[in-house]
Amino acid sequence: MANRTEVFLSEQVVVLCSCALSFLGSSLIIVTYVAWPDLRTSPRRLLVWLSVSDWFSAVSYAYGAGKVFREDSVDCVVQGAISTFANTSSFFWTVAIAVYLYVFIVRASKRDADRLVRGFHVVSWGVPLAITTAALSLNKIGYDASEVSVGWCWVKIQAPDHVLWMLLTGKIWEFLAYVTLPVLYILIKRHIHIAHAALSEYRPILASSSTAQSFTSMADMKLTMIPVIFICLRIWSTVRFILLLANSTIRQHPVLVTLHGIGNTFQGAANCIMFVLFTRPIRTRLCSALCCCRCCTHCTSSQATAEEAGTGQARAER
């Protein structure tokens, strides 16, 4: 096995851009939730906690990708610990949202779904914290030679049991999410389609409504895209991990390294696109807010210009 995977400048630039977009996307989800109380539904509250995890992931990955660690150091361990905790927490919150929607929609019990939220916090924060603390106390987090990263630190590649700790600090939860997310969302979609078919049978006027069909198709698209996007982003990290186990040098290919960097850092931006930009009420409010800001700026500049013109005219009259 080669000692180190080279991280090129072009890969750094792409990963840093992905981190920046994820940082902005996660921040926008949090800001819109805080700004508009009437949009604070329980699923969106869970999305905010997921965005907090993605926010810390983006920041820690950006630091690692920008510096490209070449040896163990204090900041390497700190960055590795933060990214390990945030990344693992992101897996748990992603699955938690799917479980909540399943109980809420398929089981038709909002009360039971809301009761799960406290457990989601315990698991989604507690398990990653326990794993990260154990890895730190046993000196397992540090320089990984970019063998399963893109410049940042994770599990020490020289540790004799590094594969075990790579599984515990991320990969095993990633594999479980690959299975759990598609199954839950398929069950949710199936339930929605059955319910919509029954509704269409008894309410043909509603079924023919273009607005109802538009909302149904948008919800259907989102339910389809959530697991698809997750798998498409995360699969490159899994591929490199498997290639590491197989001792294949293909894991060091620049294209694969770049895809891995984008996949691990773009989750916050993808969530923003799906749940902010593709959500009509929030998109409409954002557009209104931006238009108001532009109008205020235009009015302020126009007023300032008018005041300057008035001052100039008064001086001329004098």
Side-chain angles (χ1 to χ4, degrees):
M1 182 179 68
N3 292 327
R4 182 174 178 273
T5 298
E6 184 68 27
V7 178
F8 299 104
L9 178 61
S10 59
E11 297 166 358
Q12 283 183 267
V13 172
V14 171
V15 173
L16 288 173
C17 289
S18 179
C19 289
L21 291 174
S22 192
F23 173 85
L24 293 174
S26 299
S27 300
L28 188 58
I29 291 174
I30 296 171
V31 168
T32 53
Y33 179 85
V34 173
W36 297 312
D38 57 309
L39 297 178
R40 295 176 187 175
T41 61
S42 295
R44 187 159 289 275
R45 189 177 301 115
L46 298 180
L47 179 64
V48 167
W49 293 119
L50 171 61
S51 299
V52 171
S53 298
D54 291 334
W55 191 92
F56 279 104
S57 291
V59 172
S60 60
Y61 283 143
Y63 183 83
K67 187 166 184 177
V68 184
F69 291 100
R70 300 180 185 276
E71 61 182 0
D72 275 326
S73 60
V74 175
D75 56 343
C76 170
V77 174
V78 172
Q79 179 273 311
I82 293 174
S83 62
T84 297
F85 170 78
N87 196 45
T88 307
S89 178
S90 179
F91 292 151
F92 280 101
W93 279 116
T94 302
V95 175
I97 292 173
V99 172
Y100 182 93
L101 292 177
Y102 174 79
V103 175
F104 182 41
I105 296 173
V106 179
R107 299 300 181 185
S109 178
K110 186 178 185 302
R111 178 179 297 179
D112 290 343
D114 289 339
R115 286 175 179 172
L116 293 173
V117 173
R118 183 175 296 178
F120 291 155
H121 280 283
V122 173
V123 173
S124 300
W125 300 125
V127 173
L129 180 61
I131 293 172
T132 305
T133 302
L136 280 172
S137 62
L138 295 174
N139 197 28
K140 300 299 180 181
I141 293 180
Y143 177 62
D144 73 341
S146 295
E147 290 292 77
V148 197
S149 69
V150 188
W152 57 77
C153 292
W154 187 27
V155 175
K156 288 184 177 181
I157 198 67
Q158 298 300 328
D161 54 351
H162 64 274
V163 173
L164 173 63
W165 282 98
M166 285 179 178
L167 288 170
L168 290 175
T169 57
K171 292 306 168 187
I172 191 170
W173 315 114
E174 194 173 66
F175 293 143
L176 290 175
Y178 287 154
V179 176
T180 305
L181 290 177
V183 170
L184 288 175
Y185 281 112
I186 287 172
L187 292 174
I188 294 171
K189 281 168 58 67
R190 180 175 176 272
H191 178 82
I192 291 176
H193 288 168
I194 293 173
H196 183 68
L199 187 64
S200 300
E201 181 179 355
Y202 291 102
R203 296 183 182 180
I205 295 177
L206 179 61
S208 61
S209 171
S210 60
T211 303
Q213 291 178 357
S214 175
F215 286 145
T216 301
S217 62
M218 178 58 72
D220 189 53
M221 183 194 73
K222 285 186 178 181
L223 290 174
T224 302
M225 293 305 295
I226 289 171
V228 170
I229 289 175
F230 178 85
I231 293 173
C232 288
L233 289 177
R234 294 291 181 173
I235 195 64
W236 310 109
S237 172
T238 304
V239 169
R240 288 193 72 200
F241 175 70
I242 294 173
L243 291 174
L244 174 68
L245 298 182
N247 197 21
S248 173
T249 56
I250 299 176
R251 70 182 182 278
Q252 299 175 333
H253 195 283
V255 174
L256 188 56
V257 172
T258 302
L259 290 173
H260 176 192
I262 296 173
N264 268 45
T265 59
F266 198 71
Q267 188 69 50
N271 289 336
C272 179
I273 293 170
M274 286 291 296
F275 298 107
V276 174
L277 303 183
F278 281 4
T279 301
R280 183 178 297 176
I282 298 180
R283 185 175 68 245
T284 301
R285 294 193 183 197
L286 280 175
C287 292
S288 300
L290 290 174
C291 289
C292 287
C293 290
R294 290 177 182 176
C295 289
C296 290
T297 303
H298 177 71
C299 290
T300 302
S301 60
S302 299
Q303 184 177 0
T305 303
E307 290 177 355
E308 290 177 1
T311 304
Q313 183 177 2
R315 289 177 178 174
E317 289 175 354
R318 291 177 185 175

